[in-house]
Amino acid sequence: MEAQSPADVQKRVRNALRVFVVLLCLTLISAGSSALRVPVLAALVITLGIAAFKGSLVAMHFMHLISESPVIYLLLVLALLAVAVLLLLPAADIWLRGRRLMSLKSFHLFFIGASILLSLGCLYASVQTFMSEPAGIHLTSVVLAAGFSAVLVAYALRAARRFRKMGGSPDHKATF
Amino acid sequence: MEIPYTSIPRADTGVYNARLGIWLFLASEVMLFGGLFSAYIFLRTSDPSWPRGSELLNVWQATVNTIVLIASSITMVMSWASLMTSSIRRFKLFAGVTVLLGLAFLASKALEYAGDFSRGMFPATNTFAAIYFTLTGIHGLHVLGGIAVNLYLWGPGSRMWASNPLRFTNRVEVAGLYWHFVDLIWIILFPVLYLT
């Protein structure tokens, strides 16, 4: 609870009451629009647009997101990124249904590449930690991260060479 | 052992621990409902004969339910503001009204479900009914959880006001954040299920 004077609290209550009136009006407009029998796409755009606006009012004014700590914003951004992935995965499935996205070979290489990036990130973090606090446990994590990165890079090179040799074998043209 | 930072903010996070905790929980809730909305989109776009919610469901009852939940958000704000101005009696009044509005929402939803069942619409009837009952059922459980917390704060939990008013006010604020989130989810569910 931040230190707030009674005047600040009253201001916040008055603001909440104004938001409440706006939310009521928008709810009635949304409900009324369903009686107009507009096409589905137009109904989606209108009602979801109004809902997004209403939701932002609740989040900003009732949940105080308009003046929150940066840590809370970071948390929410991470959660929304996860939601974006949850929404994009089925969307990608729908858009790409029946189309070739990438071969299994390419997907495999992409996956190894992502793993290498992840292990290099761990290596960078371990080195930074070791430099600020040169302890044995941090040195161990540097060695482990460097080892994993080297193994993954060697595996990626070997896999790329093998895939090049395989060429056009039908088994490996399967799509993902 | 004294739990630290229940009343004053931590220097590194800028918020007291309960507030950070509730936002962590709400972040997980965002992902839960995000997954459910994703399932809804997947099902809807995969079904060429998806029905219009406004033809199957009671739009005006849902509109009243929306207004009830929004009103309960305002009474929640008022209950917190009452504590900020050191009035436990006004807090009891507004927290009590919040609980009653939450119960009114659930009662109305139960009646709506009864109407759906009497028209032969069950979760197994079709995909629309399955996702409708799943989304509104899970949301209803969240409302029930919020009512339980608010009822505790209104009743035995309010004894803390005498010993540690700042911490009690923070508890009410945190409960309010959850309650507003439940309201926000309904604000999105309403057009998604009933109006399109």
Short mmCIF file of all heavy atoms in Angstrom, two decimals, chain B residues 118-148:
data_model
loop_
_atom_site.label_atom_id
_atom_site.label_comp_id
_atom_site.label_asym_id
_atom_site.label_seq_id
_atom_site.Cartn_x
_atom_site.Cartn_y
_atom_site.Cartn_z
N SER B 118 -32.53 -27.38 -19.77
CA SER B 118 -33.94 -27.64 -20.11
C SER B 118 -34.17 -27.55 -21.62
O SER B 118 -35.10 -28.14 -22.16
CB SER B 118 -34.85 -26.67 -19.37
OG SER B 118 -34.64 -25.37 -19.86
N ARG B 119 -33.31 -26.76 -22.31
CA ARG B 119 -33.42 -26.68 -23.79
C ARG B 119 -32.62 -27.79 -24.46
O ARG B 119 -32.49 -27.82 -25.68
CB ARG B 119 -32.91 -25.32 -24.27
CG ARG B 119 -33.83 -24.15 -23.93
CD ARG B 119 -33.47 -22.92 -24.76
NE ARG B 119 -32.07 -22.58 -24.66
CZ ARG B 119 -31.54 -21.85 -23.68
NH1 ARG B 119 -32.31 -21.39 -22.73
NH2 ARG B 119 -30.25 -21.58 -23.66
N GLY B 120 -32.06 -28.69 -23.67
CA GLY B 120 -31.31 -29.82 -24.23
C GLY B 120 -29.88 -29.50 -24.58
O GLY B 120 -29.24 -30.21 -25.36
N MET B 121 -29.34 -28.41 -24.03
CA MET B 121 -27.94 -28.06 -24.32
C MET B 121 -27.07 -28.50 -23.14
O MET B 121 -27.14 -27.93 -22.06
CB MET B 121 -27.80 -26.56 -24.53
CG MET B 121 -26.43 -26.14 -25.00
SD MET B 121 -26.41 -24.42 -25.53
CE MET B 121 -25.09 -23.78 -24.55
N PHE B 122 -26.27 -29.55 -23.39
CA PHE B 122 -25.35 -30.09 -22.38
C PHE B 122 -23.92 -29.98 -22.91
O PHE B 122 -23.73 -29.78 -24.12
CB PHE B 122 -25.70 -31.55 -22.09
CG PHE B 122 -27.06 -31.73 -21.47
CD1 PHE B 122 -28.16 -32.02 -22.27
CD2 PHE B 122 -27.25 -31.59 -20.10
CE1 PHE B 122 -29.41 -32.16 -21.69
CE2 PHE B 122 -28.49 -31.73 -19.52
CZ PHE B 122 -29.58 -32.02 -20.32
N PRO B 123 -22.93 -30.15 -22.03
CA PRO B 123 -21.54 -30.06 -22.53
C PRO B 123 -21.23 -31.02 -23.68
O PRO B 123 -20.39 -30.72 -24.54
CB PRO B 123 -20.70 -30.41 -21.29
CG PRO B 123 -21.54 -29.99 -20.14
CD PRO B 123 -22.96 -30.25 -20.55
N ALA B 124 -21.92 -32.17 -23.71
CA ALA B 124 -21.64 -33.15 -24.76
C ALA B 124 -22.47 -32.91 -26.02
O ALA B 124 -22.32 -33.63 -27.01
CB ALA B 124 -21.90 -34.56 -24.24
N THR B 125 -23.33 -31.89 -26.02
CA THR B 125 -24.23 -31.68 -27.15
C THR B 125 -23.46 -31.36 -28.44
O THR B 125 -23.69 -31.95 -29.48
CB THR B 125 -25.23 -30.55 -26.84
OG1 THR B 125 -25.91 -30.89 -25.64
CG2 THR B 125 -26.22 -30.35 -27.98
N ASN B 126 -22.58 -30.38 -28.36
CA ASN B 126 -21.74 -30.04 -29.52
C ASN B 126 -20.48 -29.32 -29.03
O ASN B 126 -20.31 -29.09 -27.83
CB ASN B 126 -22.50 -29.18 -30.55
CG ASN B 126 -23.10 -27.94 -29.92
OD1 ASN B 126 -22.50 -27.35 -29.02
ND2 ASN B 126 -24.29 -27.57 -30.37
N THR B 127 -19.60 -28.97 -29.95
CA THR B 127 -18.32 -28.36 -29.56
C THR B 127 -18.54 -26.99 -28.93
O THR B 127 -17.85 -26.63 -27.97
CB THR B 127 -17.41 -28.21 -30.80
OG1 THR B 127 -17.52 -29.40 -31.58
CG2 THR B 127 -15.97 -28.01 -30.41
N PHE B 128 -19.50 -26.23 -29.48
CA PHE B 128 -19.78 -24.92 -28.90
C PHE B 128 -20.19 -25.06 -27.44
O PHE B 128 -19.67 -24.34 -26.56
CB PHE B 128 -20.90 -24.21 -29.69
CG PHE B 128 -21.36 -22.94 -29.03
CD1 PHE B 128 -20.65 -21.76 -29.18
CD2 PHE B 128 -22.49 -22.92 -28.22
CE1 PHE B 128 -21.05 -20.59 -28.55
CE2 PHE B 128 -22.91 -21.76 -27.58
CZ PHE B 128 -22.19 -20.59 -27.75
N ALA B 129 -21.10 -25.99 -27.16
CA ALA B 129 -21.57 -26.18 -25.78
C ALA B 129 -20.42 -26.63 -24.89
O ALA B 129 -20.30 -26.19 -23.73
CB ALA B 129 -22.70 -27.22 -25.76
N ALA B 130 -19.54 -27.50 -25.42
CA ALA B 130 -18.42 -28.00 -24.62
C ALA B 130 -17.52 -26.85 -24.17
O ALA B 130 -17.18 -26.73 -22.99
CB ALA B 130 -17.62 -29.02 -25.42
N ILE B 131 -17.15 -25.98 -25.13
CA ILE B 131 -16.23 -24.89 -24.76
C ILE B 131 -16.96 -23.83 -23.93
O ILE B 131 -16.38 -23.20 -23.04
CB ILE B 131 -15.54 -24.28 -26.02
CG1 ILE B 131 -14.31 -23.45 -25.63
CG2 ILE B 131 -16.47 -23.46 -26.86
CD1 ILE B 131 -13.11 -24.21 -25.22
N TYR B 132 -18.26 -23.64 -24.20
CA TYR B 132 -19.06 -22.66 -23.42
C TYR B 132 -19.11 -23.09 -21.95
O TYR B 132 -18.83 -22.27 -21.05
CB TYR B 132 -20.47 -22.57 -24.02
CG TYR B 132 -21.50 -22.01 -23.07
CD1 TYR B 132 -21.55 -20.65 -22.77
CD2 TYR B 132 -22.43 -22.85 -22.46
CE1 TYR B 132 -22.48 -20.15 -21.89
CE2 TYR B 132 -23.37 -22.35 -21.57
CZ TYR B 132 -23.40 -21.00 -21.29
OH TYR B 132 -24.33 -20.51 -20.40
N PHE B 133 -19.44 -24.36 -21.70
CA PHE B 133 -19.54 -24.81 -20.31
C PHE B 133 -18.16 -24.84 -19.64
O PHE B 133 -18.03 -24.57 -18.45
CB PHE B 133 -20.20 -26.19 -20.23
CG PHE B 133 -21.70 -26.13 -20.37
CD1 PHE B 133 -22.34 -26.62 -21.49
CD2 PHE B 133 -22.49 -25.56 -19.37
CE1 PHE B 133 -23.72 -26.55 -21.63
CE2 PHE B 133 -23.87 -25.49 -19.49
CZ PHE B 133 -24.49 -25.99 -20.62
N THR B 134 -17.12 -25.19 -20.43
CA THR B 134 -15.76 -25.21 -19.85
C THR B 134 -15.33 -23.82 -19.41
O THR B 134 -14.90 -23.61 -18.27
CB THR B 134 -14.75 -25.76 -20.89
OG1 THR B 134 -15.17 -27.05 -21.30
CG2 THR B 134 -13.35 -25.85 -20.30
N LEU B 135 -15.47 -22.85 -20.34
CA LEU B 135 -15.00 -21.49 -20.04
C LEU B 135 -15.81 -20.86 -18.91
O LEU B 135 -15.25 -20.30 -17.96
CB LEU B 135 -15.08 -20.61 -21.30
CG LEU B 135 -14.00 -20.86 -22.35
CD1 LEU B 135 -14.34 -20.14 -23.65
CD2 LEU B 135 -12.65 -20.39 -21.87
N THR B 136 -17.14 -20.95 -19.00
CA THR B 136 -17.96 -20.30 -17.97
C THR B 136 -17.87 -21.06 -16.64
O THR B 136 -17.93 -20.44 -15.58
CB THR B 136 -19.44 -20.19 -18.41
OG1 THR B 136 -19.91 -21.50 -18.76
CG2 THR B 136 -19.61 -19.25 -19.58
N GLY B 137 -17.69 -22.38 -16.71
CA GLY B 137 -17.57 -23.18 -15.48
C GLY B 137 -16.29 -22.83 -14.74
O GLY B 137 -16.30 -22.61 -13.52
N ILE B 138 -15.17 -22.75 -15.48
CA ILE B 138 -13.90 -22.40 -14.83
C ILE B 138 -13.95 -20.98 -14.29
O ILE B 138 -13.48 -20.70 -13.19
CB ILE B 138 -12.72 -22.61 -15.82
CG1 ILE B 138 -12.53 -24.10 -16.06
CG2 ILE B 138 -11.43 -21.99 -15.28
CD1 ILE B 138 -11.49 -24.46 -17.08
N HIS B 139 -14.57 -20.09 -15.06
CA HIS B 139 -14.71 -18.72 -14.56
C HIS B 139 -15.57 -18.71 -13.29
O HIS B 139 -15.25 -18.01 -12.32
CB HIS B 139 -15.34 -17.82 -15.64
CG HIS B 139 -15.58 -16.43 -15.16
ND1 HIS B 139 -16.80 -16.02 -14.67
CD2 HIS B 139 -14.75 -15.36 -15.06
CE1 HIS B 139 -16.69 -14.75 -14.29
NE2 HIS B 139 -15.47 -14.33 -14.53
N GLY B 140 -16.64 -19.48 -13.29
CA GLY B 140 -17.51 -19.56 -12.11
C GLY B 140 -16.76 -20.05 -10.88
O GLY B 140 -16.96 -19.54 -9.77
N LEU B 141 -15.86 -21.01 -11.08
CA LEU B 141 -15.04 -21.50 -9.95
C LEU B 141 -14.14 -20.38 -9.41
O LEU B 141 -13.92 -20.28 -8.21
CB LEU B 141 -14.17 -22.68 -10.39
CG LEU B 141 -14.90 -24.01 -10.60
CD1 LEU B 141 -13.94 -25.06 -11.13
CD2 LEU B 141 -15.51 -24.49 -9.29
N HIS B 142 -13.64 -19.55 -10.32
CA HIS B 142 -12.83 -18.41 -9.89
C HIS B 142 -13.67 -17.42 -9.08
O HIS B 142 -13.18 -16.85 -8.10
CB HIS B 142 -12.20 -17.72 -11.09
CG HIS B 142 -10.97 -18.42 -11.61
ND1 HIS B 142 -11.05 -19.58 -12.34
CD2 HIS B 142 -9.66 -18.14 -11.47
CE1 HIS B 142 -9.82 -19.97 -12.64
NE2 HIS B 142 -8.96 -19.12 -12.12
N VAL B 143 -14.89 -17.20 -9.53
CA VAL B 143 -15.78 -16.30 -8.77
C VAL B 143 -16.00 -16.88 -7.37
O VAL B 143 -15.93 -16.16 -6.37
CB VAL B 143 -17.13 -16.11 -9.51
CG1 VAL B 143 -18.11 -15.30 -8.66
CG2 VAL B 143 -16.91 -15.42 -10.85
N LEU B 144 -16.23 -18.19 -7.32
CA LEU B 144 -16.46 -18.85 -6.02
C LEU B 144 -15.25 -18.67 -5.11
O LEU B 144 -15.40 -18.36 -3.91
CB LEU B 144 -16.73 -20.34 -6.27
CG LEU B 144 -17.30 -21.15 -5.11
CD1 LEU B 144 -18.67 -20.62 -4.72
CD2 LEU B 144 -17.42 -22.62 -5.51
N GLY B 145 -14.04 -18.84 -5.67
CA GLY B 145 -12.81 -18.64 -4.88
C GLY B 145 -12.71 -17.21 -4.36
O GLY B 145 -12.36 -16.97 -3.20
N GLY B 146 -13.05 -16.25 -5.22
CA GLY B 146 -13.00 -14.84 -4.82
C GLY B 146 -14.00 -14.55 -3.71
O GLY B 146 -13.69 -13.80 -2.77
N ILE B 147 -15.19 -15.15 -3.80
CA ILE B 147 -16.20 -14.96 -2.76
C ILE B 147 -15.68 -15.51 -1.43
O ILE B 147 -15.83 -14.86 -0.38
CB ILE B 147 -17.52 -15.67 -3.15
CG1 ILE B 147 -18.18 -14.93 -4.31
CG2 ILE B 147 -18.48 -15.75 -1.96
CD1 ILE B 147 -19.37 -15.66 -4.91
N ALA B 148 -15.04 -16.69 -1.48
CA ALA B 148 -14.52 -17.30 -0.24
C ALA B 148 -13.49 -16.38 0.42
O ALA B 148 -13.53 -16.16 1.64
CB ALA B 148 -13.91 -18.66 -0.56
#
